Amino acid sequence: MRASKSFTLALALGLSVPAALAQSSGQPDAMPTPEQIAAMAAQARGGAGASANNKDEFPPFDKVIEGYEKVSNVSNGRTMWDIYVDKKSGKVLASLPRNYENQNLFIGLTFAGGFPTAGIQYGDMYAKWKRYDKRLALVEPNLSVRATSDAQVRASRDQLFTDRVIIDIPILTMGPNGGPVIDVSNLFVNSADTFFGNQVRGARNQLGRNISAKAFEENVELRFEVPARDGRLLQTHYSVSVLPENTGYRPRKADSRVGYFTTTFLDLADPSAEQPYTRYINRWKLEKADPKLAMSPPREPIVFYLEHTTPVRYRRWVREGVAAWNKSFEQVGIINAIEVYQQDALTGAHMEKDPENVKYNFIRWNANGASFAIGPSRVDPRTGQILDADVVMNDGWIRAYARQFERIIPEIAMEGFAPETLAWLDQNPDFDPRIAFAAKGDRERLISQRNAERASGNQAPMSGHAAANASHHMLGSTQYDGLSHRVSQMSGYCNHGAFKSMDIGMVRLGMDAIDAFILADSKGQNIDGVPEDFIGPLIRDVVIHEVGHVLGLRHNFVASSLYSIEEMNSPEMKGRPITASVMDYNPININYGDGPVQGDWGMNEPGPYDTWAIRYGYADDKDVPAILAEYTKRENRYLTDEDTFGPDPLARRYDFGANPLDWADSRMRLVQDLRKKILDRAIKDGDEWEKVRFHYLTLLGQHTLAVGTAANWVGGSHITRSVRDEKNDVPPIVDIDPEMQRRALRFVVDNAFNDDAFGLTNELLYRMSVSKWWDEGGLSSLFQDPTFDVHDRIAAIHTAAMTMILNPTSLRRAYDNEFRVPNEKDALTVAEIMDTIKDSVWTELDKTPSKSYTNRDPMVSSLRRNLQRQHIDRLVALARPSASFGASGKPVANLAVLQMRELEAKLTKAVENKNRLDRYTLAHLADSHQRIKQALDAQYIYNIDDIRVNISSPFSPFGQNQGN
């Protein structure tokens, strides 16, 4: 039979015989239309729905997979992709299904090995395949801008806000399933830097190889070994799964009064909307198995597996921390919402489950000495539904190395600093605690590095807690504003474990140093050098915190203010939550004369705020309005990470109690007592003397923490995330009692500027040495001087404390508070703040020398001379108005000039008694007088020049070019 013209053309275009017959439409002599020719050509090129290979364009499938073995981990062989592995070369191919372009792909990225932080979810991607002739592009749909209204708005959105090509690769051939065959090794090994960034950039990726490949019905799990930039062998894990179009999950709108991670997008639906962003909370799809029951098990529980690397001695406490949240879910009528199973290498239980597989949720445990714990989750970026979560615990915070001082103390000192202050510190690095606390040899390097980064426009925040200058960076691009490389979950940075380590370091010292220390009554056995009934509950506390994150909850840093420290340490509170939320950074509760009994060390279960937040997130839609109405309860106050650089001093990490100044007093009493016992009780025969220095620095960290806690109150205001509510009139801003602020200011002065506050004795200083080891373990102290650099260390405290008070943010807030508070009411003024600092720094000028001082017994101590020089530096800087101070700059500058004139007069009088002064004090006072005089002269010239500039300006009424 003679073939039709259309049939012949179809064959020429490469269609199979059945497809060619179908295209001929049963008309032997009909010439196909242009549309039919185009359709046949598209099918011939192997588009979606192609049923066979084109031998002219691609090699045969069997030839391509020659030497490869098919991988399948399901009994029926129906896998998401057909995976083929060449075990000799370590290469992997994937044969995609016919409907590959319709698959919504979710790619989870994890460093599975080769890093101390291996196991933490590195990032994720939401993507689709798109074919371009013989190449296949992995495309990330633009979900950050959406249009849910009419067709015209959607068309404009599609035109303006396009998708992004992540990477493209060649198509090797067409597979038997009708979809392209691709080289997965080319995708995930040769282009590993596309997914894992510069960690693997420049790596010799031709050495990369597959070490594990698993194929399931809805996901594939691929692990590769690739060299890092420095040659270390890394293991990268890709978990690729298909997101269904509709799971029955109903997104829930976020509310600023309750702390959830959010999935956010710009919605162009309503041009009249004042707030065009839609925010969904991130949560699990958790529903009752029987909605008619008041209490029902879940239809599908949240299941966690404890990784087999978790030490046996900790497993009980980790399990309890995960399961503790079931009590909160019972408040929404769900019983056993969370199930916990132990993976165990000895018995083989659950060992077939990969922690990196997005189908499983794991509590992972790393033994690497680093101090952290983190709870990230992976979220459907379309709806906010949590798909997968892994909590990564670490043993470092339990080890509590004293060397945490170098890393933690600068973060403590920077707590609460706002963008304007960070910008000011960039211009004044000598006032920056991060520079002051750095080793002497590192300071110039850090300043040069910062200047170079600022000049390049790529400066990143140096402190996680001070990452308020997010405007310089893309949200989600750094660990500080979120978990980097995430589709969702902003503000995911968590430093809870590291802060816990600082307390544990002090407790270890306390166990050695005080006979009647609170732990002496412990009835349990010791684990890792401390009683189990102390360390066990703290492990549980940290696990509850991190699991709270993977349930969707953000930090709540006002929660620790629910109860006074006396209430926390009362018989009535035993076994109850001692704060409103486990999502705060709660210090270890150490009763040092603050109550009749030693209360619980930490949180044994979620607090009342946590349960309220779970109710808001997981209750039925109809119950949400009534639940939200409970936000006015004191236990439900919520302030989170972005509130910590706001004015409310209660929104602070690691403060404690309804009145944190009481806790600061308590902590300083403990620090002072422990210092006295270091030599007699904490150092045993055979101990190296460096232990004295480590203990002192550990306590100096607690000292800085107490000072910082108090400093936040100066110029502050209380903030509530309230809304207009006729039934509950809750103002968003409330003044802080000025006497409370004065108390806080006096605490800073007494504990940061007075020599006696630091507990330094000759006996301590003679023994604060370091051990020397020329190896990796000794590098941190190798170049430290065996004699303690006491002046630099204490000067760093001076710098930090002065910056905590005399910074643009605190002074600007105090200045604004003066205006807001009615005149008939008391208020702490900027003038009073600056005068209090000046008077406390220069007390020696207010008295006539009562004796003749010597160089060995100076009138002004060496530590105080450093402090006074720093104060002059501050006054000189404050006298030059900076843009960081805004409208408060000029009055602050005027006050600084006034103080310098007052000091100039006092210094003139002080040096008149030079015959009774020691040489150090005399030289210091004379130098101070000269520096102030020069600063005042420069200030006069600066003002004259400023006037001249204004007069010569063409816009000035005195300008010669007026009217031109």
Side-chain angles (χ1 to χ4, degrees), residues 355-391:
E356 297 85 8
N357 188 331
V358 296
K359 298 298 180 181
Y360 303 113
N361 311 303
F362 265 80
I363 309 295
R364 312 195 65 175
W365 193 281
N366 285 347
N368 57 25
S371 294
F372 72 87
I374 190 169
S377 57
R378 293 183 170 121
V379 178
D380 187 331
R382 302 167 300 180
T383 62
Q385 179 183 351
I386 298 177
L387 307 169
D388 164 54
D390 292 319
V391 170

Side-chain angles (χ1 to χ4, degrees), residues 22 274 401 430 484 530 564 619 639 658 726 734 738 784 877 891 936:
E274 294 182 3
Y401 290 120
D430 290 341
S484 57
V530 291
S564 68
L639 295 173
E726 293 182 357
V734 176
Q784 289 186 24
L936 290 172

Side-chain angles (χ1 to χ4, degrees), residues 844-906:
E844 292 86 349
L845 298 183
D846 294 327
K847 57 185 179 183
T848 302
S850 58
K851 62 177 183 179
S852 294
Y853 292 92
T854 68
N855 295 337
R856 297 295 298 127
D857 180 26
M859 186 181 86
V860 183
S861 72
S862 57
L863 298 180
R864 294 277 295 176
R865 294 197 297 267
N866 285 343
L867 174 66
Q868 291 169 2
R869 279 192 290 270
Q870 282 202 41
H871 185 245
I872 292 176
D873 291 341
R874 299 303 173 109
L875 291 180
V876 172
L878 294 176
R880 298 192 301 267
S882 165
S884 298
F885 284 82
S888 66
K890 188 58 178 175
V892 168
N894 290 341
L895 289 170
V897 171
L898 176 62
Q899 287 194 348
M900 285 194 288
R901 295 194 185 283
E902 293 170 344
L903 286 174
E904 182 186 29
K906 287 188 175 184

Side-chain angles (χ1 to χ4, degrees), residues 690-697 768 770 784-786 788:
E690 72 170 1
K691 192 173 180 181
V692 177
R693 183 183 293 205
F694 287 167
H695 282 329
Y696 184 83
L697 293 181
M768 292 172 67
V770 293
Q784 289 186 24
D785 200 311
F788 185 62

Side-chain angles (χ1 to χ4, degrees), residues 158-464:
D158 294 343
Q159 182 179 6
L160 300 177
F161 302 98
T162 56
D163 301 338
R164 180 180 74 93
V165 173
I166 300 170
I167 193 172
D168 66 283
I169 55 174
I171 297 172
L172 302 181
T173 187
M174 300 301 293
N177 296 329
V181 177
I182 59 173
D183 184 344
V184 176
S185 300
N186 184 21
L187 178 66
F188 291 145
V189 175
N190 297 340
S191 302
D193 58 324
T194 299
F195 301 93
F196 286 94
N198 60 8
Q199 304 281 9
V200 294
R201 184 169 298 161
R204 299 180 299 278
N205 280 340
Q206 58 268 32
L207 299 182
R209 63 187 182 91
N210 175 260
I211 57 176
S212 176
K214 298 180 181 180
F216 303 94
E217 291 190 49
E218 296 180 347
N219 61 301
V220 295
E221 305 296 322
L222 302 169
R223 183 176 299 189
F224 298 91
E225 182 183 76
V226 296
R229 294 178 66 185
D230 61 2
R232 284 177 301 121
L233 292 177
L234 307 178
Q235 290 186 16
T236 57
H237 190 103
Y238 299 82
S239 183
V240 186
S241 57
V242 175
L243 295 180
E245 281 293 341
N246 187 3
T247 65
Y249 175 84
R250 293 170 58 87
R252 177 157 296 172
K253 291 287 187 70
D255 190 285
S256 64
R257 293 166 288 180
V258 194
Y260 273 83
F261 296 114
T262 60
T263 293
T264 305
F265 59 90
L266 175 63
D267 193 351
L268 303 177
D270 184 2
S272 65
E274 294 182 3
Q275 174 54 269
Y277 286 93
T278 294
R279 299 179 178 91
Y280 296 143
I281 66 171
N282 295 349
R283 58 174 182 156
W284 298 82
K285 185 175 183 288
L286 190 66
E287 303 168 333
K288 290 181 178 180
D290 187 347
K292 296 188 295 296
L293 294 176
M295 302 296 292
S296 167
R299 179 173 298 169
E300 185 177 348
I302 304 170
V303 179
F304 279 96
Y305 297 92
L306 308 188
E307 191 175 19
H308 67 93
T309 56
T310 306
V312 173
R313 60 190 181 278
Y314 299 150
R315 289 181 179 181
R316 164 197 167 190
W317 302 102
V318 175
R319 175 185 291 272
E320 289 183 8
V322 180
W325 284 97
N326 278 329
K327 187 173 181 180
S328 296
F329 280 105
E330 289 174 4
Q331 299 301 308
V332 294
I334 301 178
I335 305 170
N336 295 325
I338 301 175
E339 296 180 359
V340 189
Y341 299 97
Q342 179 67 59
Q343 185 187 60
D344 188 75
L346 293 177
T347 64
H350 303 293
M351 291 300 293
E352 77 284 358
K353 299 177 176 67
D354 293 326
E356 297 85 8
N357 188 331
V358 296
K359 298 298 180 181
Y360 303 113
N361 311 303
F362 265 80
I363 309 295
R364 312 195 65 175
W365 193 281
N366 285 347
N368 57 25
S371 294
F372 72 87
I374 190 169
S377 57
R378 293 183 170 121
V379 178
D380 187 331
R382 302 167 300 180
T383 62
Q385 179 183 351
I386 298 177
L387 307 169
D388 164 54
D390 292 319
V391 170
V392 181
M393 299 290 295
N394 193 278
D395 66 349
W397 65 274
I398 298 174
R399 298 172 189 259
Y401 290 120
R403 289 186 177 90
Q404 288 293 324
F405 170 85
E406 280 81 5
R407 186 171 70 85
I408 296 296
I409 300 306
E411 292 196 22
I412 291 172
M414 296 294 293
E415 177 72 8
F417 285 2
E420 58 201 338
T421 293
L422 294 176
W424 182 67
L425 291 177
D426 279 348
Q427 302 298 325
N428 298 273
D430 290 341
F431 306 154
D432 194 326
R434 297 167 294 189
I435 302 298
F437 281 110
K440 292 187 291 294
D442 288 338
R443 293 171 190 168
E444 289 300 324
R445 177 184 59 80
L446 289 173
I447 293 174
S448 298
Q449 177 182 331
R450 183 187 301 186
N451 290 338
E453 290 175 344
R454 186 169 64 247
S456 66
N458 294 322
Q459 185 177 14
M462 293 178 65
S463 169

Side-chain angles (χ1 to χ4, degrees), residues 80-118:
M80 185 186 92
W81 296 345
D82 286 346
I83 299 296
Y84 299 87
V85 177
D86 184 339
K87 294 185 178 180
K88 182 178 180 180
S89 66
K91 292 185 176 181
V92 182
L93 304 182
S95 178
L96 307 184
R98 184 185 302 273
N99 68 334
Y100 71 96
E101 287 187 301
N102 295 326
Q103 287 184 330
N104 302 305
L105 301 178
F106 191 85
I107 306 174
L109 309 171
T110 308
F111 275 116
F115 273 111
T117 57

Side-chain angles (χ1 to χ4, degrees), residues 24-57:
S24 70
S25 303
Q27 298 180 18
D29 298 319
M31 192 66 183
T33 65
E35 291 78 9
Q36 289 174 316
I37 294 174
M40 288 187 287
Q43 189 171 348
R45 286 194 299 269
S51 59
N53 300 327
N54 185 337
K55 295 182 180 180
D56 294 334
E57 292 194 357

